[in-house]
Amino acid sequence: MLKGLDPQLDADVLHALRAMGHGDVVVLVDTNFPAESCAAHTTVGTALAIDNVTLAQAASAVLSVLPLDGTDPDPVRRMQVGDDPNHVPNVQAELADALRAAGEDPTMAPTARFDFYDIAKGAFAIIRTGERRFFGCVAFTKGIIGPEG
């Protein structure tokens, strides 16, 4: 254990988050997402895991160390439910609460399912969570930490 780090962040996840640069994308997905097959196309090359937690809990852990990109108009993208970009299921509403708690804008750009798969395949890393509810998938674009910290 290390002081100041969320215990959900294991060495593999921390290594990936640290290795990411400005503009790189990390995708957090539910247990039903084809994480391993999509992750084969990512920089990391295999799916990472934050097991036994919800999407919101995993997002809180990641956001405790990952700055979001303030220059990207959509630094947070969520998997859209069907053809309705305005439908926000409970799993994503909890994610919005986690974003607020981390001091981030809770706005999440809806992204159609297969477009989301394309984002995941082009990501730096995919992290599978223990989330069992459908549409528990989000992509974060990494920002910067300035000289002032």
Side-chain angles (χ1 to χ4, degrees):
M1 295 298 282
L2 297 172
K3 293 193 306 186
L5 290 176
D6 188 302
Q8 298 298 329
L9 301 174
D10 69 13
D12 293 331
V13 171
L14 284 170
H15 180 266
L17 296 175
R18 173 60 181 93
M20 290 173 62
H22 177 241
D24 282 337
V25 174
V26 62
V27 178
L28 281 67
V29 298
D30 61 38
T31 59
N32 291 298
F33 189 86
E36 210 52 61
S37 61
C38 286
H41 302 275
T42 67
T43 302
V44 171
T46 189
L48 304 174
I50 300 178
D51 289 322
N52 303 316
V53 298
T54 66
L55 174 66
Q57 291 167 323
S60 291
V62 168
L63 292 170
S64 73
V65 296
L66 183 87
L68 293 180
D69 188 346
T71 65
D72 185 333
D74 296 314
V76 180
R77 304 189 72 76
R78 64 179 177 85
M79 185 185 284
Q80 178 177 305
V81 179
D83 293 331
D84 185 358
N86 297 316
H87 177 67
V88 179
N90 287 341
V91 65
Q92 294 178 1
E94 290 173 13
L95 175 60
D97 291 341
L99 285 159
R100 274 187 212 89
E104 299 291 351
D105 181 348
T107 304
M108 300 175 284
T111 306
R113 178 179 164 205
F114 291 107
D115 292 338
F116 192 91
Y117 286 177
D118 289 340
I119 289 170
K121 288 176 184 175
F124 189 92
I126 295 175
I127 303 171
R128 186 188 63 254
T129 71
E131 183 59 69
R132 295 184 63 192
R133 293 173 289 178
F134 302 140
F135 299 98
C137 302
V138 64
F140 293 142
T141 303
K142 186 176 182 181
I144 59 170
I145 298 173
E148 70 286 345

